[in-house]
Amino acid sequence: MSGSNDFFKSVDDAISFLWKQDVLSRKSRTNLKTSLAVQVIERTSQNQGLNEDQLLGLIDLACSRLYGDAVSSKLVKSLIPKNRIPSLALVKAISWISTNKLSISLQALLVRWILVVYQLLDDITPLQALYGVLFLFLESDVLCPLVCQLLSYITRKEDVKRFRIKRILNLQNRVGTQAHLNGLLSIYKMHASNLVAMTTSVSKVWFKKRDSAWSDKIWQVQEKQFSLEPVNKLFLEARLGIPGSPAQKKRKAGHITIPSLQCSSMSASLEGDFNVTIKQLESFSDLVANIDRVELPSQIASVLESPFLQHVISCNPSYVTLQRLNFWLSHTLFEEFLSGDETVVGSSHARMLLLLIQLGEFIQESVPAVEMWLGRYLFSWSGAHHRPLVLKLITQISLQPFAKLYEFALEPLRKLFFSSPVYFKCQVMYCLTELLRNFVLFELPRHEELSKRRKANSNDASSSLFLDEEMASFDPQLAIYEYIKFVDRLSAVALQAEGDHALLQHHVLEFFELVSVLQTRFQIGFVVIPCASVVYRLLFASNAMAVSRFLAIMVNYRSSFESLKKSTVTFETSVPDSFQSIQQLNQFILDTCDSMWRNKAFVNRDGESCYALPGSVRDNLSLGHINEAFTVHNHVAMVGFAWKFLHETQPEDLPLNPRLIKGRVRHAYMEYLRRQGLLGIHSFMKTFIRHKI
């Protein structure tokens, strides 16, 4: 390789040589100088990229037919920019393709290059002006898949015409149903649904992933260039949101490319009647004043990194805009997470998931394309890759019939849950708790609002961006009820499998702490109590934290049933009557009082108690004071507190025994537990045994 530097000191020298070389030397396949010149261009472009003049010159050279396709292809693949791609370069490439002088393979390579560098264009307007020219290339069987993908990037509402739709349909009749043609038609349907009758699906990947290695080389050059730029320039670009800012260049070094903010170069005054671009808005006040005139960028996916754009789609939603976002997310997520190598985990994948989480938190609902991808991804997810981010995305999914929710999200989680260590179980339990919180805070009010609008035939603006007015009707409260019962069963088995691990107990308690206040805080029309297995595992837990929090939950349930009884609101739901479970709750409370306060843990109450030991078994145990085994001073979780209380309050010469805690001493002991932070125990006894406290 060092010999090439002896002939050519720079890329410009190599390009100049290739232009001036005589005809006979060009046609020679063994011409050493030609090979060395191409090597210099390849090496320089891959190491530091080419400037705008070099790119323009190299396009003309590669398309001039001075050399064969082998050399020309190498030159095209060397079109790696140092910074941005001038729009003139794309105009030149398309002009050369239109001359029909190039071989079909070289034409296809040029279109592939345009697709690879599309995100680096300095201005998309000239490319949009050539929409009609590009559309003519659909007649080529080789170029058609590539051009369809390019057209899907730049299609605007004004580009959707009847004659173009008819041309695509005729083409389908000739070549059969093709994914790329359906993809372009689906884009047209987003902009003009009245012109396209086909049924589209955002879960379909219409366009194949191409040229990953070529794309990686380009982003590596961009990353190198970023590290060499002066600090003051980087700060200015980051502050003003100029394309090519540090954050954008860092993400481009990864595998997933988030489009930069690109709007039409045609500017309009803020005082006029025309649309304004996001770059013309200098403050939030400008955004509010022009919210209905903002022109969205050609790549709607840039909304992921633009708070201004997120405000625009939230305050002034458009069906076309939301479908464009859905389409891009569907294509990108399926392509990068499902179609590629599952073992490849890049920082750009994590960044993509983080941006989706931030978008969901901002609009307070889930994007349909993300849910559809998540439903597919969870079935192949190992539980290790991007675990916190994937679980966070699950907490944002929309409320839907339980059968559907179980199929696409809960069942894959359940399989991972029982085949993973306790710490993963805890993360899943936290995820399920936050998902329930999302249901009752955002999703249920949204569904109730939609139901009221349907009954009143109202055309008022909806609080949801994506909730379909024509969606299948279902009972949202029943879905939440069945979801809680599912997590209840999951918790019971998990506690048994992990031997009542303290950390798992914490997350199970956290879930039921939320469940126990659903009626009082969120006016849910039902109350769900935990199953007996969960209740007694927590009541007889070996740590005081679990016991105290469980007793506080019992107090919450009492308040919830009282609130439900007083409620005058009627709910149209098929949830079982909650008052049918009052008897079981009362039995839980009675068992707890008998065990912890009345010294009757195993006294036979004619079979009414939820747990009991047969008399024959109890007698054979030969244990003294067995009915006092779970009192507030003998309970395995409380005995340490009892000993410390006696040590602080009793004379030093008195032998310490938990049985000393009785009468007035027991009242002082309860106050001691309250000061130790075990508020649940004190609250439970004060609520249900008032005359004793």
Side-chain angles (χ1 to χ4, degrees), residues 131-235:
Y131 193 95
V133 176
L134 292 170
F135 191 85
L136 295 176
F137 297 154
L138 295 182
E139 296 297 331
S140 169
D141 292 340
V142 176
L143 297 182
C144 186
L146 302 168
V147 174
C148 282
Q149 185 172 354
L150 180 58
L151 290 177
S152 71
Y153 292 164
I154 63 175
T155 296
R156 299 162 298 176
K157 186 173 183 179
E158 54 266 32
D159 296 319
V160 181
K161 306 293 183 182
R162 290 181 182 274
F163 75 89
R164 286 178 177 150
I165 296 173
K166 185 176 180 180
R167 180 71 66 87
I168 295 175
L169 294 176
N170 291 337
L171 190 59
Q172 278 192 328
N173 290 334
R174 180 171 63 86
V175 300
T177 302
Q178 301 291 329
H180 49 273
L181 293 175
N182 284 338
L184 185 56
L185 282 174
S186 65
I187 294 291
Y188 284 4
K189 185 177 179 65
M190 292 178 192
H191 290 282
S193 57
N194 60 312
L195 298 180
V196 183
M198 67 171 288
T199 302
T200 60
S201 171
V202 295
S203 64
K204 177 72 175 178
V205 179
W206 302 112
F207 307 110
K208 294 181 180 179
K209 183 178 180 181
R210 298 180 177 88
D211 303 310
S212 297
W214 195 359
S215 179
D216 289 343
K217 290 179 182 178
I218 292 176
W219 303 137
Q220 289 170 9
V221 171
Q222 296 290 301
E223 178 71 6
K224 289 180 182 178
Q225 183 61 26
F226 157 70
S227 62
L228 298 175
E229 291 182 2
V231 175
N232 58 349
K233 179 181 178 183
L234 299 180
F235 175 78

Side-chain angles (χ1 to χ4, degrees), residues 479-544:
I480 295 177
Y481 172 85
E482 292 177 332
Y483 171 76
I484 294 173
K485 298 297 283 186
F486 165 80
V487 181
D488 181 28
R489 296 190 296 270
L490 197 73
S491 302
V493 179
L495 288 172
Q496 182 178 4
E498 296 297 339
D500 300 312
H501 193 283
L503 189 59
L504 183 59
Q505 285 180 339
H506 162 73
H507 287 283
V508 170
L509 286 162
E510 192 174 39
F511 177 80
F512 283 104
E513 282 170 347
L514 175 59
V515 173
S516 65
V517 296
L518 289 182
Q519 211 292 321
T520 53
R521 292 188 185 178
F522 306 103
Q523 288 71 54
I524 304 298
F526 58 86
V527 178
V528 184
I529 64 174
C531 64
S533 175
V534 172
V535 168
Y536 293 117
R537 283 189 171 275
L538 295 175
L539 175 60
F540 301 135
S542 59
N543 67 86

Side-chain angles (χ1 to χ4, degrees), residues 7-21 26 33-34 36-42 44-45 50-62 64 66-67 75 78-79:
F7 289 100
F8 312 106
K9 296 182 179 180
S10 66
V11 173
D12 294 328
D13 291 343
I15 294 176
S16 177
F17 168 79
L18 292 175
W19 272 114
K20 297 176 181 179
Q21 194 171 199
R26 291 181 209 144
K33 289 187 177 182
T34 300
L36 293 177
V38 173
Q39 289 176 8
V40 168
I41 295 172
E42 287 179 324
T44 304
S45 64
L50 305 180
N51 59 39
E52 294 185 5
D53 293 336
Q54 291 169 344
L55 288 172
L56 295 174
L58 200 58
I59 290 174
D60 287 335
L61 178 60
S64 63
L66 295 178
Y67 297 90
L75 295 179
S78 299
L79 293 171

Side-chain angles (χ1 to χ4, degrees), residues 539-544 547 592 594-602 623-646 656-662 666 669-670 673 678 681 685:
L539 175 60
F540 301 135
S542 59
N543 67 86
V547 176
T592 303
D594 286 347
S595 300
M596 301 197 71
W597 192 263
R598 299 191 181 112
N599 301 340
K600 296 180 179 180
F602 297 104
L623 294 176
H625 310 291
I626 188 173
N627 288 315
E628 300 177 20
F630 298 108
T631 57
V632 288
H633 51 274
N634 277 327
H635 194 293
V636 64
M638 311 303 300
V639 68
F641 291 93
W643 183 90
K644 189 174 181 181
F645 167 76
L646 292 173
L656 301 183
N657 190 305
R659 298 188 67 187
L660 293 173
I661 302 177
K662 56 184 177 180
R666 186 158 62 167
Y669 175 62
M670 294 303 299
L673 293 180
L678 301 178
I681 298 176
M685 298 304 174

Side-chain angles (χ1 to χ4, degrees), residues 394-518:
I394 293 175
T395 66
Q396 297 179 350
I397 62 179
S398 61
L399 181 59
Q400 45 202 290
F402 178 77
K404 183 178 179 183
L405 182 66
Y406 178 82
E407 180 182 359
F408 94 88
L410 299 181
E411 171 62 9
L413 271 185
R414 185 193 64 81
K415 291 180 179 179
L416 288 172
F417 184 84
F418 288 117
S419 61
S420 301
V422 65
Y423 299 105
F424 181 84
K425 289 183 174 69
C426 293
Q427 288 178 303
V428 173
M429 283 301 304
Y430 178 78
C431 167
L432 296 175
T433 303
E434 292 304 305
L435 178 57
L436 176 61
R437 198 185 310 276
N438 174 62
F439 285 165
V440 297
L441 270 178
F442 303 115
E443 294 296 324
L444 185 58
R446 193 174 289 130
H447 278 266
E448 290 175 346
E449 178 207 20
L450 178 60
S451 177
K452 292 178 181 178
R453 291 176 58 211
R454 281 175 173 170
K455 292 179 180 179
N457 292 324
S458 173
N459 293 322
D460 296 339
S462 172
S463 61
S464 171
L465 294 180
F466 298 102
L467 192 60
D468 189 358
E469 295 281 354
E470 304 298 328
M471 65 176 295
S473 178
F474 71 97
D475 185 349
Q477 296 221 13
L478 179 61
I480 295 177
Y481 172 85
E482 292 177 332
Y483 171 76
I484 294 173
K485 298 297 283 186
F486 165 80
V487 181
D488 181 28
R489 296 190 296 270
L490 197 73
S491 302
V493 179
L495 288 172
Q496 182 178 4
E498 296 297 339
D500 300 312
H501 193 283
L503 189 59
L504 183 59
Q505 285 180 339
H506 162 73
H507 287 283
V508 170
L509 286 162
E510 192 174 39
F511 177 80
F512 283 104
E513 282 170 347
L514 175 59
V515 173
S516 65
V517 296
L518 289 182

